[in-house]
């Protein structure tokens, strides 16, 4: 056995279940060792896609993601996906060959590259430490919720390994809270760091900051809970506490669907919020962020939080208390445990809940309930009409992955999901081109659901290589391309000021034909009547994935992206 094989087998012994990647000479042996250890390997067509697939897989499965890449260009090709994962604090291990000889064409400072984008750089430097370094990379990914680059120098990889591959995996139930996680599963945090607090214990009286939160809940007349990534495992505990405190329920975009089915669910807070949700959140006198950083997306640059409202953050990482909208009170601890402890201390009260509010949530609580003027015509479909039509046609048990761009709010706001496991949002880096790979990783994690990739034409063309991956894996995926023949964000941001737009507008492309060439079924939608082709696919055998090439109206820019531009 060589060192590369020992590393792969050690990671398999730690509990890695699935790995993604593109195999070259520098990661050939470690990848085959993973497979020999029982790990499923999913071959991507580009390292950038592989990294994002592994990221999405980790988010939606509750297990560590692994991506295997060649030295040098294999790693640089993966860099955008790795940056997204690092910013999101996704537990992810990157296995990369490393050319340490300075004269090699493949030589770069890989450790510095990883550090620059927020990942943790590690290296196997000798056969003796190969297994322990692999186990340490796994531990850091899981316990510290970090993206870890494990460099595998080519000469060390090829050296003989004679020791046992004995690994004691970290005693952590789950790397990422997945849909359906038990309340006791390992929690998360908006900032992702590991931590704990006695305030999170459900036994006995709460003390300190948790006791102050109990007092604030007992005094609040209009409390709102906003749950983020770190609360995705804690629906039951949060709903029970909210029932006692009379709180309305909302989420950040990454936790969309968490409270689906509750009569007090306002859905997403922030740029995607309905007018009703924005009104009620602004009216709150107490905002409690549960595993949620309250960033510019979630608060519309702070405008959704009333100046007179108290802000409390419950998080594993105390650093989250000072970021974005600073907290008046911070409680360190796992969301589920803190909420459970508080439920034993808070007396029932009406709070923000009333028959009038309940009636308004029923009548106005979803974007499809908000009237609009359908602008479909001239061979183009209004993206709102498109999204509502798809929402009606596609099976409810779905997992929706969203790319970035001017279009992104339409599927995010008008296409519903069954729960927090139905929405995968790789947007911490705001890069276009990640959406298709996100959908593939999510589909591998949740084969029980219909994967739906919502892309703009720019992002779709960036990720075209992975169309072959969808077909090869036999995924019954629906890809929806909102095609405005432009980089719409730039068109609507710069166009009104009279700037030339020739660099961000493009001639028509037959995306349906491109998809058919890869083995997809495809329909082109230029009006509501063309959605019949989607219905036929849904009712049929679904033996091929479907691409919906939607020629969307493009007269107006999106208000949610204008909010994002304020942060540039």
């Amino acid at each position: 056995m060589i060192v590369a094989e020992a590393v792969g087998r050690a990671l398999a012994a730690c509990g890695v279940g699935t790995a993604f990647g593109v195999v070259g000479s520098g990661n050939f042996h470690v990848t085959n060792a993973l497979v020999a250890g029982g790990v499923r390997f999913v071959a991507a067509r580009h390292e950038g896609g592989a990294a994002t697939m592994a990221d999405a897989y980790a988010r939606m499965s509750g297990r560590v993601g692994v991506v295997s890449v060649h030295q040098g260009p294999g790693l640089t090709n993966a860099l955008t996906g790795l940056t997204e994962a690092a910013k999101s604090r996704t537990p992810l291990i990157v296995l990369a060959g490393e050319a340490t000889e300075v004269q090699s064409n493949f030589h770069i400072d890989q450790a510095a590259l990883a550090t620059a984008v927020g990942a943790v750089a590690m290296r196997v430097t000798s056969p003796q430490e190969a297994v322990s370094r692999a186990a340490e990379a796994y531990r850091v990914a899981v316990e510290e919720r970090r993206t870890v680059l494990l460099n595998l120098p080519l000469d060390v990889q090829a050296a003989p390994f004679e020791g046992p591959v004995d690994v004691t995996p970290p005693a952590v139930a789950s790397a990422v809270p997945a849909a359906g996680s038990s309340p006791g599963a390992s929690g998360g945090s908006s900032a992702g760091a590991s931590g704990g607090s006695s305030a999170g214990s459900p036994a006995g009286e709460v003390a300190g900051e948790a006791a102050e939160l109990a007092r604030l809940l007992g005094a609040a007349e209009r409390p709102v809970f906003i749950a983020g990534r770190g609360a995705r495992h804690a629906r039951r505990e949060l709903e029970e506490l909210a029932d006692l405190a009379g709180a309305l329920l909302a989420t950040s975009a990454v936790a969309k669907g968490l409270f689906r089915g509750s009569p007090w669910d306002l859905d997403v807070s922030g740029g995607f919020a309905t007018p009703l949700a924005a009104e009620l959140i602004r009216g709150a006198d107490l905002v409690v962020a549960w595993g949620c950083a309250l960033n510019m997306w979630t608060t519309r640059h702070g405008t959704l939080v009333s100046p007179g409202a108290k802000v409390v953050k419950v998080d594993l990482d105390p650093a989250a208390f000072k970021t974005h909208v600073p907290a008046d009170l911070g409680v360190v601890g796992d969301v589920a445990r803190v909420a459970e402890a508080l439920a034993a201390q808070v007396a029932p009260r009406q709070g923000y809940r009333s028959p009038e509010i309940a009636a308004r949530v029923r009548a106005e609580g979803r974007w499809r309930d908000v009237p609009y003027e359908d602008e479909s015509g001239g061979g183009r479909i209004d993206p709102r009409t498109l999204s509502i039509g798809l929402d009606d046609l596609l099976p409810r048990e779905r997992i929706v992955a969203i790319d970035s761009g001017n279009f992104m709010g339409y599927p995010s706001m008008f296409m519903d999901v069954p729960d927090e496991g139905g929405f995968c949002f790789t947007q911490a880096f705001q890069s276009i081109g990640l959406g298709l790979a996100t959908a593939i990783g999510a589909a591998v994690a949740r084969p029980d659901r219909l994967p739906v990739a919502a892309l703009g034409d720019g992002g779709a063309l960036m990720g075209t290589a992975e169309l072959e991956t969808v077909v090869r894996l036999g995924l019954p995926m629906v890809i929806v391309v909102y095609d405005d023949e432009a980089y719409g964000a730039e068109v609507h941001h710069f166009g009104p000021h009279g700037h030339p737009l020739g660099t961000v507008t493009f001639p028509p492309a037959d995306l349906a034909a491109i998809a058919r060439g890869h083995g997809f079924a495809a329909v082109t939608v230029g009006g509501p009547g063309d959605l019949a082709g989607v219905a036929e696919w849904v009712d049929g055998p679904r033996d091929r994935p479907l691409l919906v090439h939607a020629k969307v109206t493009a007269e107006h820019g999106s208000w949610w992206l204008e909010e994002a531009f304020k942060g540039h």
Side-chain angles (χ1 to χ4, degrees), residues 15 38 68 129 284 290 304 396 413 461 470 472 488 497 516 528 543 549:
S68 176
E129 67 166 16
W290 301 89
L304 289 188
R396 309 307 298 174
M413 298 190 302
L461 288 166
V470 175
R472 173 165 36 89
H497 302 289
R516 291 189 190 102
D543 53 351
H549 179 197

Side-chain angles (χ1 to χ4, degrees), residues 424-442:
C424 197
F425 196 66
T426 49
Q427 296 294 328
F429 197 34
Q430 291 181 236
S431 171
I432 70 170
L434 305 187
L436 179 53
T438 297
I440 295 171

Side-chain angles (χ1 to χ4, degrees), residues 30-76:
V30 71
T31 305
N32 281 338
L34 287 167
V35 173
V39 175
R40 179 187 181 185
F41 179 70
V42 178
R45 286 300 191 172
H46 191 279
E47 290 91 348
T52 299
M53 291 174 201
D55 181 3
Y57 171 84
R59 296 181 194 222
M60 308 314 292
S61 71
R63 304 186 71 173
V64 172
V66 171
V67 60
S68 176
V69 298
H70 186 65
Q71 64 270 19
L75 181 61
T76 58

Side-chain angles (χ1 to χ4, degrees), residues 237-286:
E237 292 84 355
L238 289 177
E239 284 193 334
E240 289 178 358
L241 180 60
D243 288 345
L244 291 168
L248 304 183
L249 299 164
T251 71
S252 66
V254 293
K256 178 180 171 68
L258 179 62
F259 301 117
R260 190 64 76 246
S262 167
W264 309 105
D265 176 22
L266 301 180
D267 203 32
V268 175
S269 172
F272 299 159
T274 63
L276 176 65
E279 173 193 333
L280 295 176
I281 294 168
R282 282 195 187 102
D285 59 357
L286 174 65

